[in-house]
Amino acid sequence: MNVTRGFTGRPRVHNPGLPPGQYDAGDDWPVLSAEVTPDLSPADWTFRVDGLVEQSRTWDWDEAHELPSSAYEGDIHCVTSWSKFGVRFAGVSLDAFLAEARPLASATHAVAYAHTGYTTNLPLADLTGGRAWIVWEYDGEPLPAEHGGPARLLVPHLYFWKSAKWVAGLTLLDHDEPGFWEQNGYHARGNPWEEQRYAGD
Ligand SMILES: Nc1nc2c(c(=O)[nH]1)N[C@H]1C(S)=C(S)[C@@H](COP(=O)(O)O)O[C@H]1N2
Ligand SMILES: [Mo]
């Protein structure tokens, strides 16, 4: 039997799991990049935490894999209005990286940056408390390059543009500093449940 979340053959009038203005993309996983997919191997990948921390640190692929593994199974929501239910990612909780870098009390925000140059800003509170990950597996397989492999940031409770692909690091700041899309009119936080798509929403 096929488990569906609507009524087969009829328009889905209501899905309580969908934030306002979103549709269920089903098995599709659209690729959305403002950048060309880089040729980045695990050996070339590093992840750094710097800025307002007691100890700036860079982890390479093997060092990152020595941290306790952590998985996310749940939904993701893109600002272009598709959502996906029940996706499975695995990697390491950002809490594990931050525990080693030790954010200073003055740190309130972060800019996540990618090996490709993409940036996106987030309140530090959205990156802690078991709600954000560095992930390298999707559905038990290595994360495909076009979806950010070898590793990407995953912040599933915010719109998916916050989940920087090919993530290279986080800089902790004492103020909010708009990233790539945020400088182009998108919302500073991007909470899909409050439909924070554009600045001013
Ligand atoms: N490095 C990088 N990360 C990025 C982007 C990008 O252009 N470059 N696009 C963002 C946007 S707008 C979205 S919706 C998601 C799309 O992720 P996907 O292609 O895996 O669906 O990645 C986000 N992360
Ligand atoms: Mo997006």
Side-chain angles (χ1 to χ4, degrees):
M1 198 190 108
N2 220 350
V3 178
T4 57
R5 289 168 193 272
F7 298 96
T8 318
R10 285 195 221 168
R12 298 173 185 189
V13 285
H14 179 63
N15 185 330
L18 271 178
Q22 297 292 111
Y23 73 91
D24 179 358
D27 289 336
D28 292 342
W29 186 6
V31 172
L32 281 135
S33 301
E35 302 176 307
V36 174
T37 296
D39 186 10
L40 187 64
S41 71
D44 296 329
W45 180 84
T46 51
F47 178 69
R48 179 172 172 80
V49 177
D50 58 22
L52 297 175
V53 291
E54 276 179 43
Q55 183 67 60
S56 298
R57 241 210 98 160
T58 305
W59 291 262
D60 66 17
W61 183 256
D62 291 339
E63 290 164 341
H65 281 70
E66 283 165 18
L67 295 169
S69 61
S70 175
Y72 169 76
E73 180 161 3
D75 309 337
I76 54 176
H77 311 288
C78 176
V79 73
T80 60
S81 82
W82 56 266
S83 290
K84 267 180 85 61
F85 290 106
V87 297
R88 291 192 302 137
F89 287 97
V92 168
S93 169
L94 255 194
D95 292 310
F97 293 96
L98 291 171
E100 294 193 11
R102 301 190 302 281
L104 299 176
S106 54
T108 56
H109 291 81
V111 170
Y113 52 95
H115 283 279
T116 42
Y118 182 85
T119 56
T120 185
N121 54 301
L122 305 104
L124 185 55
D126 282 315
L127 293 172
T128 53
R131 297 198 296 167
W133 290 260
I134 300 298
V135 293
W136 39 70
E137 264 182 42
Y138 177 77
D139 237 346
E141 301 290 333
L143 182 66
E146 66 271 25
H147 288 299
R152 78 182 295 163
L153 179 62
L154 175 69
V155 191
H157 69 284
L158 299 179
Y159 282 125
F160 212 39
W161 89 77
K162 298 289 182 179
S163 295
K165 304 198 273 192
W166 318 296
V167 68
L170 286 182
T171 299
L172 273 59
L173 305 168
D174 61 5
H175 61 277
D176 202 7
E177 204 164 286
F180 175 77
W181 285 119
E182 296 84 1
Q183 287 167 29
N184 285 286
Y186 284 83
H187 196 276
R189 177 153 186 252
N191 177 355
W193 298 97
E194 292 177 11
E195 238 186 319
Q196 295 171 338
R197 297 177 192 272
Y198 307 105
D201 282 352

